Coordinates of all heavy atoms in Angstrom, one line a residue:
M26 N -8.8 15.0 -11.5 CA -8.3 15.9 -10.5 C -6.9 15.9 -10.3 O -6.2 16.9 -10.0 CB -9.1 15.6 -9.1 CG -9.2 16.8 -8.2 SD -10.0 16.5 -6.7 CE -11.6 17.3 -6.9
T27 N -6.3 14.7 -10.5 CA -4.9 14.6 -10.3 C -4.1 14.8 -11.7 O -3.0 14.5 -11.8 CB -4.5 13.3 -9.7 OG1 -5.1 12.3 -10.4 CG2 -4.9 13.2 -8.2
D28 N -4.9 15.2 -12.7 CA -4.3 15.4 -14.0 C -3.2 16.6 -13.9 O -3.5 17.7 -13.5 CB -5.3 15.8 -15.0 CG -5.9 14.6 -15.6 OD1 -5.5 13.5 -15.4 OD2 -6.8 14.7 -16.4
I29 N -2.0 16.2 -14.2 CA -0.9 17.2 -14.3 C -0.4 17.2 -15.7 O 0.1 16.3 -16.3 CB 0.3 16.9 -13.3 CG1 -0.3 16.8 -11.9 CG2 1.4 17.9 -13.5 CD1 0.7 16.1 -10.9
E30 N -0.8 18.4 -16.4 CA -0.3 18.5 -17.8 C 1.0 19.3 -17.8 O 1.1 20.5 -17.6 CB -1.4 19.2 -18.6 CG -2.5 18.2 -18.8 CD -3.6 18.8 -19.7 OE1 -3.3 19.8 -20.4 OE2 -4.7 18.3 -19.6
D31 N 2.1 18.6 -18.1 CA 3.4 19.2 -18.1 C 4.1 18.8 -19.3 O 4.9 18.0 -19.3 CB 4.1 18.7 -16.9 CG 4.8 19.8 -16.1 OD1 4.9 20.9 -16.6 OD2 5.3 19.6 -14.9
D32 N 3.5 19.3 -20.4 CA 4.1 19.0 -21.7 C 5.5 19.2 -22.0 O 6.2 18.8 -22.7 CB 3.2 19.5 -22.8 CG 1.8 19.0 -22.9 OD1 1.6 17.8 -22.5 OD2 0.9 19.8 -23.2
D33 N 6.1 20.3 -21.3 CA 7.3 20.7 -21.5 C 8.4 19.8 -20.7 O 9.5 20.0 -20.9 CB 7.5 22.2 -21.0 CG 6.7 23.1 -21.8 OD1 6.5 22.8 -23.0 OD2 6.4 24.2 -21.4
D34 N 7.8 19.1 -19.9 CA 8.7 18.3 -19.1 C 9.4 17.1 -19.9 O 8.8 16.2 -20.4 CB 7.9 17.7 -17.9 CG 8.8 17.2 -16.8 OD1 10.1 16.9 -16.9 OD2 8.4 17.2 -15.6
P35 N 10.7 17.1 -20.0 CA 11.5 16.2 -20.9 C 11.4 14.7 -20.3 O 11.6 13.7 -20.9 CB 12.9 16.7 -20.9 CG 13.0 17.5 -19.6 CD 11.6 18.2 -19.4
I36 N 11.0 14.6 -19.0 CA 11.0 13.3 -18.3 C 10.0 12.4 -19.0 O 10.1 11.3 -19.0 CB 10.8 13.4 -16.8 CG1 11.3 12.2 -16.2 CG2 9.3 13.7 -16.5 CD1 11.4 12.4 -14.6
Y37 N 9.0 13.0 -19.7 CA 8.0 12.3 -20.3 C 8.5 11.4 -21.6 O 7.9 10.6 -22.1 CB 6.8 13.2 -20.7 CG 5.8 13.5 -19.4 CD1 6.2 14.3 -18.6 CD2 4.6 12.7 -19.3 CE1 5.4 14.6 -17.4 CE2 3.8 13.0 -18.2 CZ 4.2 13.9 -17.4 OH 3.4 14.2 -16.2
D38 N 9.6 11.9 -22.0 CA 10.2 11.2 -23.2 C 11.0 10.0 -22.8 O 11.4 9.3 -23.7 CB 11.0 12.2 -23.9 CG 10.3 13.3 -24.6 OD1 9.2 13.1 -25.0 OD2 10.8 14.4 -24.6
D39 N 11.2 9.9 -21.6 CA 11.9 8.7 -21.0 C 11.1 7.4 -21.0 O 10.0 7.4 -20.5 CB 12.5 9.1 -19.6 CG 13.5 8.1 -19.2 OD1 13.6 7.0 -19.7 OD2 14.2 8.5 -18.2
D40 N 11.6 6.4 -21.6 CA 10.9 5.2 -21.7 C 10.6 4.6 -20.3 O 9.7 3.9 -20.1 CB 11.6 4.1 -22.5 CG 11.4 4.4 -24.1 OD1 10.5 5.2 -24.4 OD2 12.2 3.9 -24.8
D41 N 11.6 4.9 -19.5 CA 11.6 4.3 -18.1 C 10.6 5.1 -17.2 O 10.4 4.8 -16.0 CB 13.0 4.3 -17.4 CG 13.8 3.3 -18.2 OD1 13.3 2.3 -18.7 OD2 15.0 3.4 -18.1
F42 N 10.1 6.2 -17.7 CA 9.3 7.0 -16.9 C 8.0 6.3 -16.5 O 7.4 5.8 -17.3 CB 9.1 8.4 -17.6 CG 8.1 9.2 -16.7 CD1 8.5 9.8 -15.5 CD2 6.8 9.4 -17.1 CE1 7.6 10.6 -14.8 CE2 5.9 10.2 -16.3 CZ 6.3 10.8 -15.2
C43 N 7.7 6.3 -15.2 CA 6.4 5.8 -14.8 C 5.7 6.9 -14.1 O 6.2 7.6 -13.3 CB 6.8 4.6 -13.7 SG 5.4 4.0 -12.8
D44 N 4.4 7.0 -14.4 CA 3.6 8.1 -13.8 C 3.2 7.7 -12.4 O 2.6 8.6 -11.7 CB 2.4 8.5 -14.7 CG 1.6 7.4 -15.1 OD1 1.7 6.3 -14.4 OD2 0.8 7.5 -16.0
C45 N 3.4 6.5 -12.0 CA 3.0 6.1 -10.6 C 1.6 6.4 -10.3 O 1.4 6.8 -9.2 CB 4.1 6.7 -9.6 SG 5.8 6.3 -9.9
E46 N 0.7 6.2 -11.2 CA -0.6 6.3 -10.9 C -1.2 5.2 -10.1 O -2.1 5.3 -9.2 CB -1.4 6.5 -12.2 CG -1.5 8.0 -12.7 CD -2.3 8.1 -13.9 OE1 -3.1 7.1 -14.3 OE2 -2.3 9.1 -14.5
E47 N -0.6 4.0 -10.3 CA -1.1 2.8 -9.5 C 0.0 2.5 -8.5 O 1.1 2.0 -8.7 CB -1.1 1.6 -10.5 CG -1.9 1.9 -11.7 CD -3.4 1.3 -11.5 OE1 -3.6 0.4 -10.7 OE2 -4.3 2.0 -12.0
Y48 N -0.4 2.9 -7.2 CA 0.5 2.7 -6.1 C -0.2 2.1 -4.9 O -1.4 2.4 -4.7 CB 1.3 3.9 -5.8 CG 0.5 5.1 -5.4 CD1 0.1 5.3 -4.1 CD2 0.1 6.2 -6.3 CE1 -0.7 6.3 -3.7 CE2 -0.6 7.2 -6.0 CZ -1.0 7.3 -4.6 OH -1.8 8.4 -4.2
D49 N 0.6 1.4 -4.1 CA 0.1 1.0 -2.8 C 0.5 2.1 -1.9 O 1.5 2.7 -1.8 CB 1.0 -0.3 -2.4 CG 0.3 -1.5 -2.9 OD1 -0.9 -1.5 -2.9 OD2 1.0 -2.5 -3.2
A50 N -0.6 2.5 -1.1 CA -0.3 3.6 -0.1 C -0.5 2.9 1.4 O -1.5 2.2 1.6 CB -1.4 4.7 -0.3
D51 N 0.4 3.2 2.1 CA 0.4 2.8 3.5 C 0.1 3.9 4.4 O 1.0 4.8 4.6 CB 1.8 2.1 3.9 CG 1.7 1.5 5.3 OD1 0.9 1.9 6.1 OD2 2.5 0.6 5.5
I52 N -1.2 4.2 4.7 CA -1.6 5.4 5.5 C -1.1 5.3 6.9 O -1.1 6.3 7.6 CB -3.1 5.6 5.3 CG1 -3.9 4.4 5.9 CG2 -3.5 5.9 3.9 CD1 -5.3 4.7 6.0
L53 N -0.8 4.1 7.3 CA -0.2 4.2 8.7 C 1.3 4.7 8.7 O 1.6 5.4 9.6 CB -0.2 2.7 9.3 CG -1.6 2.0 9.4 CD1 -1.5 0.7 9.9 CD2 -2.4 2.8 10.4
E54 N 2.0 4.3 7.7 CA 3.4 4.8 7.7 C 3.5 6.2 6.9 O 4.5 6.8 7.1 CB 4.3 3.8 7.0 CG 4.6 2.6 8.0 CD 5.7 1.8 7.4 OE1 6.8 2.4 6.8 OE2 5.6 0.6 7.3
G55 N 2.5 6.4 6.1 CA 2.4 7.6 5.3 C 3.4 7.5 4.1 O 3.9 8.4 3.5
R56 N 3.6 6.2 3.7 CA 4.5 5.9 2.5 C 3.7 5.4 1.3 O 2.7 4.7 1.5 CB 5.5 4.8 2.9 CG 6.5 5.3 4.0 CD 7.6 6.2 3.3 NE 8.5 5.5 2.5 CZ 9.5 6.0 1.9 NH1 9.7 7.4 2.0 NH2 10.4 5.3 1.2
A57 N 4.1 5.7 0.2 CA 3.5 5.1 -1.0 C 4.5 4.3 -1.7 O 5.7 4.6 -1.7 CB 3.0 6.2 -1.8
H58 N 4.1 3.3 -2.4 CA 5.0 2.4 -3.1 C 4.5 2.0 -4.5 O 3.3 1.5 -4.5 CB 5.4 1.2 -2.3 CG 6.2 0.2 -3.0 ND1 5.7 -1.0 -3.5 CD2 7.5 0.2 -3.3 CE1 6.7 -1.7 -4.1 NE2 7.8 -1.0 -3.9
C59 N 5.1 2.3 -5.5 CA 4.7 2.1 -6.8 C 5.2 0.6 -7.2 O 6.4 0.4 -7.2 CB 5.2 3.0 -7.9 SG 4.8 2.7 -9.5
Y60 N 4.2 -0.2 -7.6 CA 4.7 -1.6 -7.9 C 5.1 -1.7 -9.3 O 5.4 -2.8 -9.8 CB 3.7 -2.7 -7.4 CG 2.2 -2.4 -7.7 CD1 1.7 -2.5 -8.9 CD2 1.5 -1.8 -6.7 CE1 0.3 -2.3 -9.1 CE2 0.1 -1.5 -6.9 CZ -0.4 -1.7 -8.1 OH -1.8 -1.4 -8.3
R61 N 4.9 -0.7 -10.1 CA 5.3 -0.7 -11.5 C 6.8 -0.5 -11.7 O 7.6 -1.1 -12.3 CB 4.6 0.3 -12.4 CG 3.3 -0.4 -13.0 CD 2.5 0.7 -13.7 NE 3.1 1.1 -14.9 CZ 2.7 2.2 -15.6 NH1 1.8 2.9 -15.1 NH2 3.3 2.5 -16.7
C62 N 7.4 0.6 -11.0 CA 8.7 1.0 -11.1 C 9.5 0.8 -9.8 O 10.7 1.0 -9.8 CB 8.8 2.5 -11.5 SG 8.2 3.6 -10.3
G63 N 8.7 0.4 -8.8 CA 9.4 0.2 -7.5 C 9.8 1.3 -6.7 O 10.4 1.3 -5.7
R64 N 9.4 2.6 -7.2 CA 9.7 3.8 -6.5 C 8.8 3.8 -5.2 O 7.7 3.3 -5.0 CB 9.3 5.0 -7.4 CG 10.2 6.2 -7.2 CD 9.8 7.2 -8.1 NE 9.2 8.4 -7.5 CZ 8.2 9.1 -7.8 NH1 7.5 8.7 -8.9 NH2 7.8 10.1 -7.0
S65 N 9.3 4.5 -4.1 CA 8.6 4.7 -3.0 C 8.8 6.1 -2.5 O 9.9 6.6 -2.7 CB 8.9 3.7 -1.9 OG 10.2 3.9 -1.4
W66 N 7.8 6.7 -1.9 CA 8.0 8.2 -1.5 C 6.9 8.4 -0.3 O 6.2 7.5 0.0 CB 7.6 9.0 -2.7 CG 6.3 8.9 -3.2 CD1 5.2 9.7 -2.9 CD2 5.7 8.0 -4.1 NE1 4.1 9.3 -3.5 CE2 4.3 8.2 -4.3 CE3 6.3 6.9 -4.9 CZ2 3.5 7.5 -5.1 CZ3 5.5 6.1 -5.7 CH2 4.1 6.5 -5.9
W67 N 7.2 9.5 0.3 CA 6.3 9.9 1.4 C 5.1 10.5 0.8 O 5.2 11.3 -0.1 CB 7.0 10.9 2.3 CG 8.2 10.2 3.1 CD1 9.5 10.5 2.7 CD2 8.1 9.4 4.2 NE1 10.2 9.7 3.7 CE2 9.4 9.1 4.6 CE3 7.0 8.8 5.0 CZ2 9.7 8.3 5.6 CZ3 7.3 8.0 6.0 CH2 8.6 7.7 6.4
L68 N 4.0 10.2 1.4 CA 2.7 10.8 0.9 C 2.6 12.3 1.6 O 3.1 12.5 2.7 CB 1.5 10.0 1.5 CG 1.3 8.6 0.8 CD1 0.3 7.9 1.6 CD2 0.8 8.7 -0.6
T69 N 2.0 13.1 0.7 CA 1.9 14.4 1.2 C 0.6 14.4 2.0 O -0.2 13.4 2.1 CB 1.6 15.4 0.1 OG1 0.4 15.0 -0.6 CG2 2.7 15.4 -0.9
D70 N 0.4 15.4 2.8 CA -0.9 15.5 3.6 C -2.1 15.3 2.8 O -3.1 14.7 3.2 CB -0.9 16.9 4.4 CG 0.0 16.9 5.6 OD1 0.6 15.8 5.9 OD2 0.3 18.0 6.0
E71 N -2.2 16.0 1.7 CA -3.3 15.8 0.7 C -3.5 14.4 0.2 O -4.6 13.9 0.2 CB -3.1 16.9 -0.4 CG -4.5 17.0 -1.1 CD -4.4 18.0 -2.3 OE1 -3.6 18.9 -2.2 OE2 -5.2 17.8 -3.2
Q72 N -2.4 13.8 -0.1 CA -2.5 12.4 -0.6 C -3.0 11.5 0.6 O -3.8 10.6 0.2 CB -1.1 11.9 -1.1 CG -0.8 12.5 -2.5 CD 0.7 12.2 -2.9 OE1 1.5 12.1 -2.1 NE2 0.7 11.9 -4.2
M73 N -2.5 11.7 1.7 CA -2.9 11.0 2.9 C -4.4 11.1 3.1 O -5.1 10.2 3.2 CB -2.2 11.5 4.1 CG -0.8 11.0 4.3 SD -0.8 9.3 4.9 CE -1.0 9.6 6.6
R74 N -4.9 12.4 3.0 CA -6.4 12.6 3.1 C -7.1 11.9 2.0 O -8.1 11.2 2.3 CB -6.7 14.0 3.0 CG -6.6 14.8 4.4 CD -7.3 16.1 4.4 NE -6.6 17.0 3.5 CZ -5.6 17.8 4.0 NH1 -5.2 17.7 5.1 NH2 -4.9 18.6 3.1
Q75 N -6.6 11.9 0.7 CA -7.3 11.2 -0.4 C -7.4 9.7 -0.1 O -8.4 9.2 -0.3 CB -6.6 11.6 -1.7 CG -7.0 12.9 -2.3 CD -6.4 13.1 -3.5 OE1 -5.4 12.3 -4.0 NE2 -6.6 14.2 -4.2
E76 N -6.2 9.2 0.4 CA -6.2 7.7 0.6 C -7.1 7.3 1.7 O -7.9 6.4 1.6 CB -4.7 7.3 1.0 CG -3.8 7.2 -0.2 CD -4.3 6.2 -1.2 OE1 -4.9 5.1 -0.8 OE2 -4.2 6.4 -2.4
I77 N -7.2 8.1 2.8 CA -8.1 7.8 3.9 C -9.6 7.9 3.4 O -10.3 7.0 3.7 CB -7.8 8.8 5.1 CG1 -6.4 8.4 5.6 CG2 -9.0 8.6 6.0 CD1 -5.9 9.4 6.6
R78 N -9.8 8.9 2.6 CA -11.2 9.0 2.1 C -11.5 7.9 1.1 O -12.6 7.4 1.3 CB -11.3 10.4 1.4 CG -12.6 11.1 1.7 CD -12.8 12.4 1.0 NE -12.9 12.2 -0.4 CZ -12.7 13.2 -1.4 NH1 -12.4 14.4 -0.9 NH2 -12.9 13.1 -2.6
W79 N -10.6 7.5 0.4 CA -10.7 6.4 -0.6 C -11.1 5.1 0.1 O -12.1 4.5 -0.2 CB -9.5 6.3 -1.3 CG -9.5 6.3 -2.8 CD1 -9.1 7.3 -3.6 CD2 -10.0 5.4 -3.7 NE1 -9.3 7.0 -4.9 CE2 -9.9 5.8 -5.0 CE3 -10.6 4.0 -3.5 CZ2 -10.3 5.0 -6.1 CZ3 -11.0 3.3 -4.6 CH2 -10.8 3.8 -5.9
Q80 N -10.3 4.9 1.2 CA -10.5 3.6 1.9 C -11.8 3.7 2.6 O -12.5 2.7 2.8 CB -9.3 3.4 2.8 CG -8.0 3.2 1.9 CD -6.9 2.6 2.8 OE1 -7.0 2.1 3.9 NE2 -5.7 2.6 2.1
A81 N -12.1 4.8 3.1 CA -13.5 4.9 3.9 C -14.6 4.8 2.9 O -15.6 4.0 3.2 CB -13.6 6.3 4.5
E82 N -14.4 5.3 1.7 CA -15.5 5.1 0.6 C -15.6 3.6 0.3 O -16.7 3.1 0.1 CB -15.2 5.9 -0.5 CG -15.7 7.4 -0.4 CD -15.3 8.2 -1.6 OE1 -15.1 7.6 -2.7 OE2 -15.4 9.5 -1.5
M83 N -14.5 3.0 0.1 CA -14.5 1.6 -0.3 C -15.2 0.7 0.8 O -16.0 -0.2 0.5 CB -13.2 1.1 -0.5 CG -12.4 1.7 -1.6 SD -11.7 0.6 -2.8 CE -10.3 0.0 -1.8
M84 N -15.0 1.1 2.1 CA -15.5 0.4 3.2 C -17.1 0.6 3.2 O -17.9 -0.3 3.4 CB -14.9 0.7 4.5 CG -13.7 -0.1 4.8 SD -12.7 0.6 6.1 CE -13.8 0.2 7.5
E85 N -17.5 1.9 2.9 CA -18.9 2.2 2.8 C -19.6 1.3 1.7 O -20.6 0.8 1.9 CB -19.1 3.7 2.6 CG -19.2 4.5 3.9 CD -19.3 6.0 3.6 OE1 -20.0 6.3 2.6 OE2 -18.8 6.7 4.4
C86 N -18.9 1.3 0.5 CA -19.5 0.5 -0.6 C -19.6 -0.9 -0.2 O -20.7 -1.5 -0.4 CB -18.6 0.7 -1.8 SG -18.8 2.2 -2.6
A87 N -18.6 -1.4 0.5 CA -18.7 -2.9 0.9 C -19.8 -3.0 2.0 O -20.6 -4.1 1.8 CB -17.4 -3.3 1.5
E88 N -20.0 -2.2 2.9 CA -21.1 -2.3 3.8 C -22.4 -2.2 3.1 O -23.4 -2.9 3.4 CB -21.0 -1.2 4.8 CG -20.1 -1.5 6.0 CD -19.9 -0.3 6.9 OE1 -20.8 0.6 7.0 OE2 -18.8 -0.3 7.6
E89 N -22.6 -1.2 2.1 CA -23.9 -1.1 1.4 C -24.2 -2.3 0.6 O -25.3 -2.8 0.6 CB -23.8 0.0 0.5 CG -24.1 1.4 1.1 CD -23.8 2.5 0.2 OE1 -23.9 2.3 -1.1 OE2 -23.6 3.7 0.7
S90 N -23.2 -2.9 -0.1 CA -23.5 -4.1 -0.8 C -23.9 -5.3 0.1 O -24.6 -6.2 -0.2 CB -22.3 -4.4 -1.7 OG -21.2 -4.6 -1.1
A91 N -23.2 -5.3 1.3 CA -23.5 -6.3 2.2 C -24.8 -6.3 2.9 O -25.5 -7.3 3.2 CB -22.4 -6.3 3.4
E92 N -25.5 -5.1 2.9 CA -26.8 -4.9 3.4 C -27.8 -5.3 2.4 O -29.0 -5.6 2.8 CB -27.1 -3.5 3.7 CG -26.5 -3.1 5.1 CD -26.6 -1.5 5.3 OE1 -27.4 -0.9 4.5 OE2 -25.9 -1.0 6.1
G93 N -27.5 -5.5 1.2 CA -28.3 -5.9 0.2 C -29.2 -4.7 -0.4 O -28.9 -3.6 0.0
T94 N -30.1 -5.0 -1.3 CA -30.9 -3.9 -1.9 C -32.0 -3.6 -1.1 O -32.8 -4.5 -0.8 CB -31.3 -4.3 -3.3 OG1 -31.9 -5.6 -3.3 CG2 -30.0 -4.4 -4.2
Q95 N -32.2 -2.3 -0.8 CA -33.3 -1.8 0.0 C -34.0 -0.7 -0.8 O -33.4 0.3 -1.0 CB -32.9 -1.5 1.4 CG -32.9 -2.5 2.4 CD -32.5 -2.1 3.7 OE1 -32.1 -0.9 4.0 NE2 -32.8 -3.0 4.7
N96 N -35.3 -0.9 -1.0 CA -36.0 0.2 -1.7 C -36.9 0.9 -0.8 O -37.7 0.2 -0.1 CB -36.7 -0.4 -3.0 CG -35.8 -0.9 -4.0 OD1 -34.8 -0.4 -4.2 ND2 -36.2 -2.1 -4.6
D97 N -36.9 2.2 -0.8 CA -37.8 2.9 0.1 C -39.1 3.2 -0.6 O -39.2 3.6 -1.7 CB -37.3 4.3 0.5 CG -36.2 4.1 1.6 OD1 -36.4 3.3 2.5 OD2 -35.1 4.7 1.5
Ligands
LIG104 ZN1 6.0 4.2 -10.7

């Protein structure tokens, strides 16, 4: 869903270019920080929503596995 195909973009030829796919998001501050290249930026509203949903899903998964396996 986050695939951005920008083949014409010359920045992709740069060895130092980092796509910043792996980043730490601070949803309280609304900041993201890439630990590969050290870049930090403000999260967009959509990125914030995604992060919040992500973290909520992770918590749900943790709760489900904590409950153990239940078969109806
Ligand atoms: Zn990066």
Side-chain angles (χ1 to χ4, degrees):
M26 203 178 252
T27 51
D28 273 353
I29 299 167
E30 289 184 16
D31 227 349
D32 292 328
D33 294 334
D34 199 334
I36 202 166
Y37 280 78
D38 294 325
D39 191 343
D40 281 345
D41 291 333
F42 177 70
C43 171
D44 54 16
C45 298
E46 276 184 5
E47 305 267 326
Y48 61 83
D49 271 329
D51 189 332
I52 56 174
L53 295 178
E54 283 191 46
R56 292 284 287 179
H58 176 252
C59 176
Y60 41 83
R61 270 174 72 195
C62 68
R64 215 178 112 219
S65 67
W66 63 95
W67 292 104
L68 290 169
T69 65
D70 286 348
E71 194 181 327
Q72 284 174 321
M73 283 279 281
R74 270 197 294 274
Q75 275 180 0
E76 280 303 323
I77 289 165
R78 221 179 68 196
W79 236 105
Q80 295 193 12
E82 275 176 20
M83 294 226 297
M84 276 167 71
E85 270 177 34
C86 283
E88 275 173 24
E89 275 172 25
S90 58
E92 279 173 19
T94 49
Q95 277 187 341
N96 295 321
D97 280 318

